[in-house]
C-alpha cells in the first residue's frame, strides 16, 4: 500500500468494510521500508535520533517514533521493535531514504550494524477484531499482548499488535503460506485506508511531511518522550509543547461531497489548509483528514476545493461514530 495520494481516494466496498469492522481482512504492506539494527550500541544510537524512548523498551516491546530535522519537522515516521539483541525498524517507503541515510552517516564509529530488509521481508496486516483468532489458528498459540507494538517471535516471523489488528513481519518467501491460513481473505488498500481515516491516524505522505511538526499532527502522546533526553529536533518539540501552541492541528472533516488529496480548505474565504486523506465511508459518508490552521475549530464550517463544498470540522477519531 504505497504512500501516494491516490491510495486514499477510492472507496471501500461494503463487504470489505464489514469484514474489517466485524471480522478480519488482510492487506499487504510489504513496500514499507525495513531496517535491521544490531550491535551493542544500536539502542543508544537510535535513542539520540528519534523522538521516542527506544532504550526504555524491553525485548518484545516496540514504539512509534518520528525522525525529525533540526527544526523539529518530520523526515520520517517509524515503528521500532526491540528484540533480545536487535532493533527492527519499518517506515513508509517515502521515509526510508532519510532513515537509512541517518543510520548510515551517524552510526559510523559506533558498534552498530544495519541491514536493509525491504525486499527480503514482507508485512501482512490483519485488520479487524478477528485478527487474534487468525493468529491462534496460524500459530496454535497466543497472539501478542493487547498493547500496541507488543510482539511475539514465531516460526512464521514476528506477530506485532497494531491499533487495528496484528501485523505479521516475515521472510518474503513465507508470505504465501500466511495468506493460505483459514479465515484470511485479502481486501483492498482502499478499504484499509478508509478504516485508518475513520480512526484519525495521520500518514506520512498525506497528513505528515517535511513541513509538519509532531504536535501539529497530534503525535506527541504516541511518538514523543519528554523525559528521555536529547534527540535531533528536540528543542523545537519541547518549546512548542511547554511554552506555546501549534498554529495548525489535525482535524476530521465531515464532507458534503467527496474530496481529493491536496484540495484547499478555506474558512470564510481564508485558506487554512488542504485535504490530506479522503474517502467515502460506508458508515459515515464522505470524510477526510486535514492539518488546518487553529482558526478553524471543531464545529466550524469550512469550504473545500474549487467548488467550495461545505464541510464540518470535527474532533477525531471518526471511528466511534461508525461503531
Amino acid at each position: 500500500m504505497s504512500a501516494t495520494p491516490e491510495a486514499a481516494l477510492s472507496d471501500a466496498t461494503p463487504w470489505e468494510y464489514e469484514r474489517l469492522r466485524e471480522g478480519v481482512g488482510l492487506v499487504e504492506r510489504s513496500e514499507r521500508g525495513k531496517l535491521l539494527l544490531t550491535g551493542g550500541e544500536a539502542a543508544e544510537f537510535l535513542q539520540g535520533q528519534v523522538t521516542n524512548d527506544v532504550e526504555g523498551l524491553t525485548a518484545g516491546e516496540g514504539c512509534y517514533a518520528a525522525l525529525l530535522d533540526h527544526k523539529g519537522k518530520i523526515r520520517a515516521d517509524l515503528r521500532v521493535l526491540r528484540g533480545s539483541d536487535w532493533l527492527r525498524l519499518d517506515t513508509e517507503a517515502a521515509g526510508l531514504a532519510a532513515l537509512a541515510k541517518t543510520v548510515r552517516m551517524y552510526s559510523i564509529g559506533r558498534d552498530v550494524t544495519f541491514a536493509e530488509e525491504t525486499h527480503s521481508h514482507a508485512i501482512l496486516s490483519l485488520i479487524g477484531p478477528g485478527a487474534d483468532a487468525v493468529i491462534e489458528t496460524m500459530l496454535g498459540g497466543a497472539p501478542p499482548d493487547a498493547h500496541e507494538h507488543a510482539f511475539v517471535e514465531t516460526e512464521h516471523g514476528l506477530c506485532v499488535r497494531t491499533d487495528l489488528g496484528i501485523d505479521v513481519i516475515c521472510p518474503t518467501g513465507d508470505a504465501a503460506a500466511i495468506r493460505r491460513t483459514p479465515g484470511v481473505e485479502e481486501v483492498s488498500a482502499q478499504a484499509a485506508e478508509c478504516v485508518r481515516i475513520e480512526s484519525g491516524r495521520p500518514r506520512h505522505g498525506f497528513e505528515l511531511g517535511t513541513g509538519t511538526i509532531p504536535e501539529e499532527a497530534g503525535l506527541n502522546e504516541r511518538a514523543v518522550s519528554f523525559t528521555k533526553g536529547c534527540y535531533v529536533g528536540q528543542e523545537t518539540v519541547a518549546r512548542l509543547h511547554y511554552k506555546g501552541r501549534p498554529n495548525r492541528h489535525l482535524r476530521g472533516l465531515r464532507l458534503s461531497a467527496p474530496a481529493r488529496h491536496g484540495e484547499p480548505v478555506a474558512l470564510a474565504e481564508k485558506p487554512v489548509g488542504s485535504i490530506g486523506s479522503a474517502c467515502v465511508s460506508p458508515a459515515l459518508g464522505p470524510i477526510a483528514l486535514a492539518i488546518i490552521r487553529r482558526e478553524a475549530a471543531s464545529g466550524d464550517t469550512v469550504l473545500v476545493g474549487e467548488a467550495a463544498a461545505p464541510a464540518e470540522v470535527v474532533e477525531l477519531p471518526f471511528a466511534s461514530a461508525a461503531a
Side-chain angles (χ1 to χ4, degrees), residues 62-76:
C63 68
Y64 175 62
L67 177 72
L68 309 179
D69 65 18
H70 289 281
K71 295 182 180 180
K73 295 183 178 180
I74 296 172
R75 300 173 65 205

Side-chain angles (χ1 to χ4, degrees), residues 291-309:
I291 292 183
I292 56 179
R293 290 191 59 82
R294 66 187 184 203
E295 296 95 293
S298 180
D300 285 347
T301 296
V302 293
L303 303 176
V304 176
E306 293 183 3

Side-chain angles (χ1 to χ4, degrees), residues 139-164:
L139 301 181
D145 291 343
H147 59 278
E148 190 172 359
H149 310 303
F151 67 91
V152 292
E153 298 184 62
T154 77
E155 61 179 319
H156 299 282
L158 304 182
C159 295
V160 188
R161 180 71 61 184
T162 71
D163 62 315
L164 296 171

Side-chain angles (χ1 to χ4, degrees), residues 6-81:
E6 290 73 18
L9 295 178
S10 300
D11 307 331
T13 63
W15 77 264
E16 289 179 313
Y17 183 83
E18 182 179 2
R19 178 169 289 276
L20 295 179
R21 283 297 181 199
E22 299 181 10
V24 63
L26 183 147
V27 178
E28 182 160 355
R29 292 191 167 110
S30 297
E31 81 288 342
R32 284 181 64 83
K34 310 172 196 72
L35 297 178
L36 173 67
L37 273 60
T38 55
E41 295 181 296
E44 179 186 359
F45 159 72
L46 196 62
Q47 182 85 340
Q49 302 298 323
V50 302
T51 56
N52 219 336
D53 186 4
V54 174
E55 288 191 302
L57 300 173
T58 60
E61 293 182 334
C63 68
Y64 175 62
L67 177 72
L68 309 179
D69 65 18
H70 289 281
K71 295 182 180 180
K73 295 183 178 180
I74 296 172
R75 300 173 65 205
D77 67 333
L78 61 148
R79 174 170 54 186
V80 181
L81 304 176

